């Protein structure tokens, strides 16, 4: 068998074994995740409502401002001033 053909056969066999091993490993992890008991979710304290303590922040506006800063449309000072307006500080 020529050298290049032999190398291709070995690489193909190795790739096949690795793919089967990866699939088996993924299947085992999936089964383990399905049988695992979910962790309890921590509840926030009931003494203070979250809406009353923090103002509403519009993250879309912040993202748009950041894109304008990255594009060079806004300077850092303009970005900081607009960010403070959005955050309400």
């Amino acid at each position: 068998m020529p050298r290049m053909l032999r190398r291709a056969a070995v690489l193909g066999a190795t790739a096949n074994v690795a793919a089967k091993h990866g699939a088996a490993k993924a299947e085992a992890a999936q089964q383990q995740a399905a049988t695992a008991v979910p962790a309890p979710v921590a509840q926030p304290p009931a003494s203070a409502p979250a809406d009353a303590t923090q103002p509403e922040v519009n993250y879309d506006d912040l993202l748009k401002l950041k894109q304008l800063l990255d594009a060079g449309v806004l300077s850092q000072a303009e970005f900081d001033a607009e960010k403070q307006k959005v955050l309400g500080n």
Side-chain angles (χ1 to χ4, degrees), residues 54-62 83 86-89:
Q54 295 180 354
E56 185 69 27
V57 176
N58 191 350
Y59 293 105
D60 292 333
D61 290 343
L62 290 174
K83 181 175 77 169
V86 171
L87 294 176
N89 293 338

Side-chain angles (χ1 to χ4, degrees), residues 1 3 8 10 17 20-21 28-29 32 36-37 40 43 45 58 61 63 72 77 79-80 87:
M1 184 181 286
R3 184 175 180 179
V10 169
V17 169
K20 285 184 180 180
H21 179 70
Q32 184 181 10
V37 177
Q43 297 294 327
N58 191 350
D61 290 343
L63 289 174
F79 171 77
D80 291 338
L87 294 176

Side-chain angles (χ1 to χ4, degrees), residues 23-36:
K25 194 173 185 180
E27 185 178 326
Q30 196 174 39
Q31 287 177 352
Q32 184 181 10
T35 59

Side-chain angles (χ1 to χ4, degrees), residues 5-15:
L5 186 58
R6 190 173 31 205
R7 181 178 288 172
V10 169
L11 287 175
T14 303

